[in-house]
Amino acid sequence: MTDPLDEPEPTATHPATGLDDVVHQRVRLGILTIAHEARRVEFGFLRTQLALTAGNLSQHLGVLESAGLVEVEKGYAGRRARTWITLTHAGQAALADEIARLKQLIVRVETADGR
């Protein structure tokens, strides 16, 4: 027989179950947070800040753009080609949800440590 205290409540879900795999990946979370802080960020700045190759950053931006979380705008600054990244409303909401769930996880860990 199992102890009823060991079984999860049927309506309770762990905050980790709501983490979004698209957002939660470390590089993509970094992209979203930098874009949130900057409102509009240049590709080269992201590449430098996150210590990525251009190809790796492009792949992650493609995932975020396909999910509708960022907009990628190509243009020129003088004669130099530039790429700017902007967080969409959906991206802001996804980032806020991810942060809220991470905070819930932190509270659970801190509460468990203080038993």
Side-chain angles (χ1 to χ4, degrees):
M1 183 170 351
T2 62
D3 184 349
L5 296 177
D6 290 339
E7 295 179 21
E9 296 177 33
T11 58
T13 59
H14 194 277
T17 62
L19 292 174
D20 183 336
D21 290 337
V22 170
V23 174
H24 192 71
Q25 196 280 343
R26 139 184 114 69
V27 171
R28 293 191 289 265
L29 185 58
I31 292 168
L32 293 174
T33 57
I34 292 170
H36 174 75
E37 293 169 340
R39 302 291 180 218
R40 183 176 187 228
V41 63
E42 203 268 325
F43 182 94
F45 181 80
L46 280 176
R47 187 174 45 79
T48 301
Q49 290 296 304
L50 298 172
L52 301 170
T53 64
N56 193 280
L57 178 55
S58 291
Q59 286 185 331
H60 286 291
L61 287 172
V63 170
L64 293 171
E65 187 177 26
S66 293
L69 303 181
V70 297
E71 289 180 352
V72 177
E73 173 191 351
K74 295 185 182 275
Y76 288 89
R79 293 181 177 202
R80 298 187 61 147
R82 297 279 190 223
T83 301
W84 293 277
I85 294 84
T86 307
L87 203 57
T88 64
H89 291 295
Q92 289 187 23
L95 179 60
D97 185 57
E98 191 75 9
I99 297 300
R101 290 186 186 277
L102 289 170
K103 286 179 180 179
Q104 290 173 354
L105 288 169
I106 291 167
V107 167
R108 288 176 70 115
V109 168
E110 288 174 344
T111 302
D113 286 346
R115 288 187 231 179

